[in-house]
């Protein structure tokens, strides 16, 4: 995509949704990506190497896998050999730099597509390193797998859902006809008693705290944000990887946090 076209897309993302914001919310922090180069190190860190889910990529800190240009963060997956891995990509996060507790977290992004693609916007408890997963809690604001390109998923993970995933409604999805050709706003509104998930202001899932099911709630503590583009894996690669899709680009226009 030529730079001037990308800039146009990023600008378009800002305008029509601005008027839809809940006027009761106050902007507390934002990352607009209005600079050039590596993601701001005061906000973003990286996962590196092999991390999880039998994924096929090696996560790097390299600029070719995550850079900021023309008003967008661009996470790019390449087909290239690193050690025993055949792909590289990036997963950036705010752990130890920026944390979130309740309020509204929203991300304007244009996702990639293709068999093997697995972009995500998600959160985990800042205590993950001490209590582990899923005890830390996980909030999946947006996931998409390339073999089902039009479907956007929102999901919650807790110790209870790992042991008995069918006990509560913890996931839902919606179809977007232009899921990978246009920018969309993916958001969660985090309250003391529920998590509400939105795609372009449309509520797609309300996950509620139930005092009778304490193992299904781990959201009374701060979380950090992750933006990543996985390749393959237990879910994203369950129908294989199409090597013709690379390089694969995931654009993020902005991240905003309201309280």
């Amino acid at each position: 995509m030529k730079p001037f076209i990308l800039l146009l897309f990023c600008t378009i993302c800002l305008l029509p949704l601005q008027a839809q914001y809940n006027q009761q919310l106050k902007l507390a922090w934002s990352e607009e990506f209005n600079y050039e180069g590596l993601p701001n190190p005061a906000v973003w860190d990286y996962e590196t190497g092999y991390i999880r889910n039998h994924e096929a990529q090696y996560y790097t800190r390299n600029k070719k896998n995550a850079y900021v240009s023309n008003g967008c963060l661009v996470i790019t997956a390449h087909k290239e050999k690193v050690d025993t891995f055949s792909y590289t990509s990036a997963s950036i996060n705010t752990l130890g730099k920026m944390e979130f507790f309740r309020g509204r977290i929203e991300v304007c992004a244009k996702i990639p597509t293709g068999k093997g693609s697995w972009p995500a916007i998600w959160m985990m408890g800042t205590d993950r390193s001490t209590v582990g997963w899923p005890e830390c809690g996980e909030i999946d604001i947006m996931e998409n797998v390339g073999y089902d390109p039009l479907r956007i998923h929102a999901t919650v993970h807790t110790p209870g859902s790992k042991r008995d995933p069918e006990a509560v409604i913890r996931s839902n999805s919606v179809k977007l006809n232009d899921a990978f050709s246009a920018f969309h706003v993916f958001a969660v509104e985090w309250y003391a008693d529920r998590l509400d998930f939105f795609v372009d202001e449309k509520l797609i899932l309300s996950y509620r705290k139930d005092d009778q099911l304490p193992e299904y709630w781990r959201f009374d503590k701060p979380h950090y944000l992750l933006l990543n583009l996985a390749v393959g894996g237990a879910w994203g690669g369950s129908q294989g990887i199409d090597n013709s899709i690379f390089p694969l680009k995931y654009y993020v226009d902005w991240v905003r946090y309201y309280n």
Side-chain angles (χ1 to χ4, degrees), residues 13-30:
C13 188
L14 296 172
L15 300 178
L17 295 165
Q18 192 77 30
Q20 299 178 25
Y21 292 151
N22 188 329
Q23 295 303 309
Q24 295 179 344
L25 296 176
K26 180 180 179 181
L27 183 65
W29 172 84
S30 70

Side-chain angles (χ1 to χ4, degrees), residues 147-196:
Y147 64 80
D148 188 11
L150 303 183
R151 188 165 297 280
I152 302 299
H153 301 262
T155 309
V156 174
H157 297 276
T158 62
S161 67
K162 182 179 180 182
R163 286 193 288 271
D164 189 359
E166 304 304 322
V168 299
I169 297 174
R170 63 186 187 91
S171 182
N172 195 24
S173 64
V174 64
K175 280 194 171 183
L176 294 176
N177 290 330
D178 58 349
F180 51 87
S181 61
F183 283 87
H184 295 275
V185 174
F186 307 99
V188 62
E189 290 186 0
W190 179 356
Y191 301 91
D193 62 347
R194 72 183 191 277
L195 299 167
D196 289 343

